[in-house]
Every structure is written in structure tokens, then in C-alpha cells.
Amino acid sequence: MKTIINVVLACLCMTMAFAQEKPVKIVFDVTSSNTGVHESTMRHVKMMSKAYPDSKFEVVMYSGAYEMVVKDKSTVSADMEALAKNDNVDFVVCQASLNRHEIDASELITGVRAVPDGILEIIQKQGQGWGYIKEGQ
């Protein structure tokens, strides 16, 4: 009986180890103007992209989060520029939000790209099997 329990525990541990190594794809949804949310998002992406280098992460910003990507207004520009250099991290902002706030592409932090619609970007990622995290406080 003791041998069977040990074998089951060993199998369980091996299964958990392999499950944690499987790459994931996560899209982060940021709509808040709260700089605390921006900073926690960067912490999450930095930590996860380092811990899971074979996984992919995309931060989608729209609505009130537009200042997060503007060079002169962002509190996270240095972190965002550094993380954008990673092959497994992507930052996108909704073009409709930029248009509404009259922000030109030249004002964006290096490494941020615009997509036509932030919500549609998230829906498409989910359709491709990406996990979803709503960043907020």
C-alpha cells in the first residue's frame, strides 16, 4: 500500500512539474487611468516574462489607460521600453482611444504599437486560446 501511495505521489509531482513548464499566452486588459494599476501591470508582466520566457504576454491598453503609453505622461515608460525589447512581450494601444484624445503615434513610448480596436484585439487573442487578465484595483 505504501508503495502504491509513493508511486501515485511521484506521478502527481511529475504531472505538476510538466504542467508548469508548458508555455502560456496571456493578454492583459488595462483601461484604468490609475497609475497604480499601470505600475502593478508592469510588475506582473516583468515577473511573468522572466519566470516563463517561453510564454507570450500582450498588454492591451485603451479607454482611460491611454496616458500609460504617452512618453511625457507615463509613469511606467522606462519599464515599458525595457520590456518591449523582449521577444515574448508586446504592448498595444487602441487607435480609437488615441484618436479620441488626439494623440499622435510620435508621442508613444518606443515599442508600443497601435491596433484599430483594443477590445477586438482582446477578443481575437481569446479566440486564439490566450488567457485573459483584467488589471485593476
Side-chain angles (χ1 to χ4, degrees), residues 35 38-39 42 66-78 80 109:
T35 58
H38 302 172
E39 292 161 10
M42 291 300 103
Y66 68 94
E67 287 188 353
M68 187 175 177
V69 299
V70 177
K71 290 177 194 174
D72 298 336
K73 296 182 179 182
S74 178
T75 61
V76 294
S77 59
M80 193 176 290
I109 294 169

Side-chain angles (χ1 to χ4, degrees), residues 66 69-71 81 93 95 98 103-114:
Y66 68 94
V69 299
V70 177
K71 290 177 194 174
E81 282 187 23
V93 63
Q95 185 65 54
L98 296 178
I103 297 170
D104 187 71
S106 65
E107 298 176 69
L108 300 180
I109 294 169
T110 302
V112 175
R113 66 182 176 88

